[in-house]
Amino acid sequence: MPRKMFVIFGASNILCMVFTISQAFKIETFPENKIVAQIGDVVSLTCRTTGCEPPSFSWRTHLDSPLNGQVRNEGSNSTLTMDPVGFRNEYSYLCTAICGSEKREKGIQVEIYSFPKDPEIRLSGPLEVGKPVTVTCLVPDVYPFDRLEMNLLKGNHLLQNKDFVEPMERKSLETKSLEVTFTPTNEDIGKALVCQAKLHIDEIDFKPKERETTKKLQVYISPKNTVISVNPSTRLQEGGSVTMTCSSEGLPAPQIFWNKKLDNGNLQLLSGNSTLTLIAMRTEDSGIYVCEGVNQVGKNGKEVELIVQEKPFTVEISPGPQIVAQIGDSVVLTCGVTGCESPSFTWRTQVDSPLSGKVKTEGSKSTLTLSPVGFENEHSYLCTVTCGRKKVEKGIKVDLYSFPRDPEIEMSGLPVNGNPVTVSCRVPNVYPSDRLEIELLKGESIIGNKNFLENIDKKYLETESLDMTFIPTTEDTGTVLVCLAKLHIDEMEFEPKQRQSTQTLYVNVAPRDTTILVSPSSILEEGSSVNMTCSSNGLPAPKILWSRQLNNGHLQPLSENSTLTLTSTKMEDSGVYVCEGINQAGIDRKEVELIIQVAPKDIQLTAFPSESVKEGDTVIISCTCGNVPKTWIILKKKAETGDTVLQSRDGAYTIHKVQLEDAGVYECESKNEVGLQLRSLTLDVKGRGNYQDYFSPELLVLYCSSSLIIPAIGMIIYFARRANMKGSYSLVEAQKSKV
Ligand SMILES: *[C@@H]1O[C@H](CO)[C@@H](O)[C@H](O)[C@H]1NC(C)=O
Ligand SMILES: *[C@@H]1O[C@H](CO)[C@@H](O)[C@H](O)[C@H]1NC(C)=O
Ligand SMILES: *[C@@H]1O[C@H](CO)[C@@H](O)[C@H](O)[C@H]1NC(C)=O
Ligand SMILES: *[C@@H]1O[C@H](CO)[C@@H](O)[C@H](O)[C@H]1NC(C)=O
């Protein structure tokens, strides 16, 4: 290293000259000729004489500048004290002692320096691995600093060296420094920073010329990898406890803090312990817990969320969230609680309508009985259970339907072949009827179908029906009429959703083709027997009813046998006989006229006023014929020349002003198909004055003696009459029946 030469004044030459003057008179100085002093010290220069008592002393600098010190003379000693020594004392001091005429002088060189303290190591911040840091090493109050050398070492490694050789403008104490920036690594942990300062002044003697400061590297690691372990779980039940342990890595080992995050985001300190145990947790203790690892260089946090669940307090409503009930049934809703000591129950409907049911509460169970269940119960029912400050509500919906009976099949009447009939299928007491479908089937084929969608929102039981009209035929007998009712409610569970009724068809046929067979004939002689047999077709087989038609038109029932037998008939049995074929489907009738023939009898022939009259009288000859109907009456006047048929009216012939020639035999002939009867009388006419009676005795004998019955031959006349009668008898049939 370059050295600057210290300036030393030539005091020794002067001393040699003084020394020659007197040997006895001597001067000494302490220190002898040079003193090295650190600025600020107290420095004393002493000048001492021998061989003179007492000498006079004087001090001066070689440049005659002020002494900057205090002189104290004491006998042969003179002391110059510089307190403190400073730049203004950096001179050569000359002590002059005069003893009489003798004068002695001696100089002392005062040399100064300043190197009072060890270097100081300063760091720009804490040492963190990976984070650049600036190290400053400074040496305060150095003089002369142009001789200063500084070294900064990390362990054995020299980071930097510096000489401060710049020229000194003026004398001053200066603080010199060295700055190095480096990035600490993990290897630096445990090493030391060394700052060395050397003041290179070889030519003067002082200590220390070297100073050094060692600073152990304190390397920090910011907290990281903060980990929380939770035991048993972050989900807790009310009243439970949890232990959470947190660890964090860092250098120095981070301190652990547990906090709870408040709603406003602030942290509330819970513990400075790494293990946090929370007991008797409540639901409001739920939340976010934060663990922080903190050391000098930083902090690292980790959050964990704790969820404190309420104690299981459960409410069950049965049977399920929905119940489907048929109107009229009895329904029991049960609300049960678990996990509560003394629950209190409340029932209500969602729309706050009356409960319309009976509540019974016992312990942890409450029942609501709806019996019978009706439209007023078609609600959602809510069961509210209060347990302490907790409240739980459960609901159950009551859905109603009504479909209690199978359909009823009804016919408008008896099914008769060919006649329209209406089948009605009735489904009683249905709800909701808008979901109803009725289907009517005849055998395999659907003959009618109806939906009742229009009845929306009506809340009452309805009886719905489907009417179908069809014309049955005999082939339909045996086929089955099916009435099928379906309640389309898929969303409800109940059985049955379908009901059906059947009816087997039996088609009737009204009686027809009713025929009557008369044996032997419908025209009979009195006393004979007759069988009248009636038959009729129909389904079911018609019942036969024989009746007789009375004069007033009414029917008099006679027999329900198909054959009506009349034995030994009388004339009164004549008349119209009616046969009726009867079944459920109708009546068919047929009639026959029975004629019982009787020969004329009990004819009476009379003359009015008498059979013996006078000429000029009026006489009525009248013939009445018993009670035998259909009898011809012929009134005649017999004469030898031939009979004269008289124009009678109802069997009566009136002779006005009778003449003599009107006397004679009159005959009445009554006849029908079965016979004839004759009656005769003799009219006697007396002349005015003495006329002889006019009569013929022979004839009188002949006719009055007998009444004859003559077999019938007047059949033509009879049949002509029959043709005019009402009824269906034909001539042919009539003849047949006679065979
Ligand atoms: C002078 O100085 C010397 C040495 O320091 C000392 O021993 C002596 O006593 C001093 N004399 C007087 C009179 O102070
Ligand atoms: C931390 O908790 C443990 C275990 O509970 C205990 O022994 C220790 O004293 C606690 N330390 C502090 C600082 O609270
Ligand atoms: C009427 O029927 C009965 C029984 O069949 C029979 O004995 C009788 O001879 C029948 N009479 C006539 C007049 O046909
Ligand atoms: C019907 O006929 C039965 C026998 O064939 C007979 O016993 C019964 O008397 C008859 N009834 C009438 C009302 O003629």
Side-chain angles (χ1 to χ4, degrees):
M1 270 186 200
R3 293 280 180 271
K4 231 182 180 183
M5 290 304 292
F6 216 78
V7 179
I8 295 168
F9 298 96
S12 55
N13 294 344
I14 301 162
L15 284 171
C16 288
M17 287 185 331
V18 174
F19 194 70
T20 56
I21 298 165
S22 171
Q23 283 211 295
F25 180 42
K26 287 184 190 168
I27 188 163
E28 283 178 299
T29 58
F30 303 93
E32 208 169 345
N33 48 26
K34 193 162 83 172
I35 182 166
V36 177
Q38 186 155 229
I39 293 167
D41 289 354
V42 178
V43 166
S44 296
L45 304 179
T46 305
C47 193
R48 184 183 302 159
T49 58
T50 50
C52 182
E53 208 61 43
S56 69
F57 292 99
S58 67
W59 293 85
R60 61 184 173 92
T61 67
H62 67 285
L63 293 179
D64 273 338
S65 42
L67 283 179
N68 294 327
Q70 286 198 335
V71 174
R72 203 163 56 123
N73 296 323
E74 224 175 308
S76 55
N77 289 352
S78 177
T79 305
L80 173 63
T81 301
M82 291 164 271
D83 185 13
V85 69
F87 294 113
R88 53 186 187 159
N89 302 111
E90 196 177 25
Y91 301 115
S92 257
Y93 283 87
L94 202 62
C95 171
T96 305
I98 296 166
C99 187
S101 60
E102 282 182 84
K103 183 179 168 183
R104 298 289 187 268
E105 275 185 326
K106 192 143 176 9
I108 303 170
Q109 180 76 36
V110 175
E111 291 179 2
I112 58 165
Y113 76 98
S114 179
F115 194 28
K117 289 186 214 151
D118 286 342
E120 195 183 320
I121 297 174
R122 288 184 185 169
L123 293 169
S124 62
L127 284 181
E128 259 186 272
V129 172
K131 234 162 133 187
V133 69
T134 301
V135 186
T136 307
C137 181
L138 40 89
V139 186
D141 304 334
V142 182
Y143 178 82
F145 55 82
D146 57 342
R147 300 295 184 89
L148 183 69
E149 179 190 357
M150 285 177 76
N151 290 316
L152 186 62
L153 295 94
K154 191 173 77 182
N156 298 323
H157 171 69
L158 178 69
L159 291 176
Q160 198 166 0
N161 165 270
K162 193 172 176 188
D163 285 317
F164 299 87
V165 290
E166 69 252 42
M168 285 199 292
E169 306 277 300
R170 55 189 184 88
K171 288 181 183 176
S172 66
L173 292 180
E174 289 206 11
T175 297
K176 291 296 175 188
S177 64
L178 194 57
E179 225 180 62
V180 173
T181 296
F182 75 101
T183 302
T185 65
N186 279 330
E187 285 80 58
D188 292 334
I189 296 169
K191 287 185 182 168
L193 279 176
V194 181
C195 183
Q196 295 175 333
K198 293 180 189 171
L199 208 52
H200 292 288
I201 316 174
D202 297 334
E203 59 278 21
I204 59 173
D205 198 22
F206 66 90
K207 277 207 170 33
K209 287 185 177 164
E210 257 190 63
R211 285 181 176 271
E212 110 175 3
T213 298
T214 299
K215 188 171 183 142
K216 202 150 175 240
L217 273 180
Q218 180 66 57
V219 181
Y220 294 99
I221 300 172
S222 184
K224 60 180 180 182
N225 299 336
T226 304
V227 175
I228 296 172
S229 74
V230 180
N231 183 25
S233 160
T234 57
R235 278 185 179 273
L236 307 166
Q237 275 195 359
E238 213 172 7
S241 54
V242 66
T243 299
M244 298 190 286
T245 306
C246 181
S247 67
S248 184
E249 296 170 8
L251 199 68
Q255 201 191 341
I256 301 295
F257 293 99
W258 275 103
N259 300 286
K260 185 175 186 210
K261 203 179 231 176
L262 301 179
D263 290 340
N264 58 14
N266 292 347
L267 294 178
Q268 175 195 10
L269 181 64
L270 298 177
S271 164
N273 203 328
S274 63
T275 298
L276 176 67
T277 298
L278 302 170
I279 59 166
M281 294 289 272
R282 292 165 305 160
T283 49
E284 51 270 38
D285 294 328
S286 295
I288 293 172
Y289 289 78
V290 183
C291 162
E292 276 185 329
V294 180
N295 68 11
Q296 291 84 331
V297 288
K299 56 182 174 183
N300 179 231
K302 182 88 185 178
E303 295 186 349
V304 63
E305 184 173 13
L306 290 186
I307 296 165
V308 183
Q309 293 165 325
E310 286 187 67
K311 238 189 197 157
F313 155 53
T314 55
V315 175
E316 285 295 323
I317 200 157
S318 61
Q322 188 198 27
I323 178 169
V324 176
Q326 180 152 231
I327 291 168
D329 285 356
S330 178
V331 168
V332 179
L333 311 179
T334 306
C335 188
V337 176
T338 51
C340 183
E341 294 279 309
S342 50
S344 75
F345 295 87
T346 323
W347 287 91
R348 63 185 175 94
T349 67
Q350 198 145 43
V351 293
D352 268 337
S353 48
L355 283 181
S356 305
K358 272 194 193 133
V359 175
K360 197 175 153 203
T361 301
E362 217 167 77
S364 61
K365 225 167 86 174
S366 179
T367 57
L368 173 61
T369 305
L370 314 173
S371 180
V373 67
F375 291 115
E376 67 278 15
N377 301 117
E378 200 174 27
H379 298 298
S380 277
Y381 281 90
L382 296 171
C383 169
T384 309
V385 183
T386 310
C387 182
R389 9 178 217 101
K390 286 181 243 173
K391 208 179 208 184
V392 174
E393 198 165 58
K394 277 277 166 81
I396 182 167
K397 190 161 177 277
V398 176
D399 285 327
L400 295 180
Y401 76 97
S402 178
F403 195 31
R405 294 209 296 274
D406 285 340
E408 296 159 8
I409 298 178
E410 258 179 36
M411 299 279 225
S412 61
L414 213 56
V416 174
N417 184 38
N419 291 354
V421 69
T422 299
V423 189
S424 158
C425 178
R426 276 174 82 243
V427 184
N429 300 336
V430 182
Y431 177 80
S433 61
D434 58 310
R435 301 293 186 91
L436 182 69
E437 181 187 0
I438 304 181
E439 202 168 81
L440 199 56
L441 295 97
K442 194 175 86 182
E444 302 286 296
S445 56
I446 297 172
I447 58 170
N449 177 289
K450 190 174 175 188
N451 285 297
F452 299 85
L453 300 172
E454 68 275 12
N455 301 327
I456 290 167
D457 288 343
K458 289 187 190 166
K459 277 209 178 182
Y460 46 80
L461 294 182
E462 206 138 13
T463 295
E464 300 288 4
S465 63
L466 168 62
D467 294 348
M468 289 309 300
T469 300
F470 71 102
I471 299 177
T473 64
T474 47
E475 286 84 57
D476 290 331
T477 293
T479 59
V480 176
L481 280 178
V482 180
C483 175
L484 188 60
K486 301 177 194 169
L487 203 54
H488 293 290
I489 315 177
D490 295 337
E491 67 272 21
M492 294 192 203
E493 291 235 351
F494 65 85
E495 284 303 329
K497 283 183 178 166
Q498 187 167 322
R499 285 180 174 272
Q500 75 171 55
S501 293
T502 60
Q503 185 170 317
T504 305
L505 262 183
Y506 182 85
V507 179
N508 296 273
V509 179
R512 60 183 176 187
D513 307 330
T514 305
T515 51
I516 296 175
L517 219 61
V518 182
S519 171
S521 161
S522 61
I523 299 169
L524 300 163
E525 283 181 28
E526 198 173 24
S528 61
S529 298
V530 66
N531 284 340
M532 293 184 285
T533 304
C534 181
S535 69
S536 182
N537 294 328
L539 269 177
K543 205 175 77 176
I544 299 295
L545 176 62
W546 275 106
S547 307
R548 184 169 177 186
Q549 191 162 40
L550 303 178
N551 289 336
N552 60 12
H554 291 167
L555 291 180
Q556 178 195 8
L558 296 176
S559 166
E560 292 185 2
N561 286 350
S562 62
T563 299
L564 179 66
T565 301
L566 301 179
T567 50
S568 52
T569 51
K570 297 198 181 64
M571 196 185 68
E572 301 83 63
D573 294 331
S574 293
V576 175
Y577 289 82
V578 177
C579 166
E580 286 172 313
I582 302 169
N583 68 10
Q584 296 94 310
I587 296 179
D588 190 33
R589 60 191 275 179
K590 202 87 204 177
E591 48 192 48
V592 60
E593 184 174 18
L594 196 64
I595 297 164
I596 313 297
Q597 290 177 330
V598 183
K601 55 183 177 185
D602 306 331
I603 292 180
Q604 289 189 345
L605 184 61
T606 54
F608 181 83
S610 162
E611 286 178 23
S612 178
V613 292
K614 285 180 189 135
E615 189 179 12
D617 285 352
T618 296
V619 65
I620 299 166
I621 296 168
S622 145
C623 179
T624 59
C625 56
N627 56 351
V628 179
K630 297 161 197 158
T631 302
W632 291 92
I633 290 172
I634 302 160
L635 200 57
K636 296 176 196 171
K637 184 161 187 277
K638 306 287 278 184
E640 286 169 28
T641 50
D643 297 345
T644 309
V645 173
L646 301 176
Q647 292 295 314
S648 70
R649 175 174 285 185
D650 295 330
Y653 181 69
T654 306
I655 306 166
H656 302 284
K657 293 184 183 167
V658 69
Q659 313 257 317
L660 288 175
E661 26 305 13
D662 290 327
V665 175
Y666 288 81
E667 186 187 65
C668 174
E669 180 185 325
S670 171
K671 70 177 174 185
N672 62 14
E673 291 85 345
V674 278
L676 100 98
Q677 197 176 29
L678 292 175
R679 285 284 186 276
S680 59
L681 64 79
T682 304
L683 185 66
D684 183 19
V685 180
K686 287 185 175 74
R688 299 262 166 200
N690 235 349
Y691 286 115
Q692 275 210 325
D693 289 349
Y694 180 85
F695 74 96
S696 164
E698 325 82 70
L699 276 174
L700 187 68
V701 170
L702 176 68
Y703 289 108
C704 284
S705 61
S706 69
S707 70
L708 309 174
I709 292 175
I710 299 162
I713 47 156
M715 294 308 289
I716 306 296
I717 298 162
Y718 174 71
F719 286 127
R721 269 192 79 222
R722 292 298 308 167
N724 286 333
M725 285 178 67
K726 110 177 202 286
S728 58
Y729 260 66
S730 70
L731 182 59
V732 178
E733 276 173 337
Q735 279 175 331
K736 241 198 281 180
S737 65
K738 285 207 66 141
V739 171

